Amino acid sequence: METLIYIWLLRLSFLLAAVVFVTLFFFNAPYGRHRRPGWGFVIPSRVGWLVMEAPAAVLFAALFWVGDAPKNSVTISFLILWEAHYIHRAFIYPLRIADGENRMPVSVPIMAFVFNLGNAALNAHYLFSLSGGYAESWLLDPRFMLGVLVFWTGYGINRWADRVLLRLRRTRPTSYQVPYGGLYRWISCPNYLGEILEWMGWALATWSLPGLAFAVWTFANLAPRARAHHRWYRGNFAEYPNERKALIPGVW
Ligand code: NDP
């Protein structure tokens, strides 16, 4: 019964990701440069990021702890990957956002809070209970090794690209500037590309359907937003580099 419920929740997750993907091409999540009135009262962005991301860090670790699959170097590796991302996103990134007037409507962290709880539960329950565990030999499986490599590559790109933007934000707290250098030469949103790579790597390393669902969700969320950011840059900066694409260098 528990497995049946899990399977239906997973199917629902894939279905919702498809709905979100299509919807987000017509409507931008109302935070950052796309913020607009009508989405509830606003709260400091720092608080929003903490509230929406912390549950994923805490719940995943708790389910690792109580899960009945053997705790070995593979499951500990999964824990390290997940927490490397979420401890940064929930507890460090919010402190690095320029303080000032940065606000988001409360509906954004509420929706993300629900997603993060569900996503952490689906992934951790599978990895640390339903899967029955992973043999130590999985560490040498090409899927694991390539997945981990892709994850850390994405992680590095995401951290670097966010750092560039936060530095620009600090130099001019109330306006946007055109970012230059590194991957910004080719695309508008290397932070989103990095994030998508991270969870593609996760899907590969865990070789699991909830891992795949998370990668699909991340793409569904961030590809339309990358397109919106790209159009916004083009509309707001006459000098915006013509050859720059939105998300995939040389392609789109
Ligand atoms: P953005 O790129 O829109 O903004 C990141 C930060 O940089 C914000 O503080 C923003 O300020 C500032 N900024 C952005 N562009 C400029 C610019 N041109 N000049 C000056 N400052 C700028 O990213 P998000 O806020 O959407 O996302 C932040 C992180 O969270 C990213 O790493 C992203 O990958 C991740 N994320 C992951 C999701 C997922 O589904 N897994 C979903 C959403 C985000 P301001 O707030 O004023 O715009």
Side-chain angles (χ1 to χ4, degrees), residues 31 33 89 158 162 169 176-177 191-192 195 229 233:
Y31 71 94
R33 76 199 66 190
R89 181 67 74 228
N158 176 263
D162 273 345
R169 170 58 73 238
Y176 291 89
Q177 303 172 58
N191 54 344
Y192 293 168
E195 179 107 17
H229 274 23
Y233 276 122

Side-chain angles (χ1 to χ4, degrees), residues 31-33 45 49 85-86 89 93 97-98 102 115 158 162 165-166 168-169 172 175-179 191-192 195 199 214 217-218 221-222 225 229 232-233:
Y31 71 94
R33 76 199 66 190
S45 295
W49 280 102
H85 176 87
Y86 276 107
R89 181 67 74 228
Y93 181 74
I97 295 176
N102 208 316
F115 168 77
N158 176 263
D162 273 345
L165 297 178
L166 294 179
L168 291 181
R169 170 58 73 238
R172 280 198 221 147
S175 63
Y176 291 89
Q177 303 172 58
V178 177
N191 54 344
Y192 293 168
E195 179 107 17
W199 301 114
F214 188 12
W217 261 98
T218 306
N221 226 339
L222 296 182
R225 195 164 178 86
H229 274 23
W232 182 93
Y233 276 122

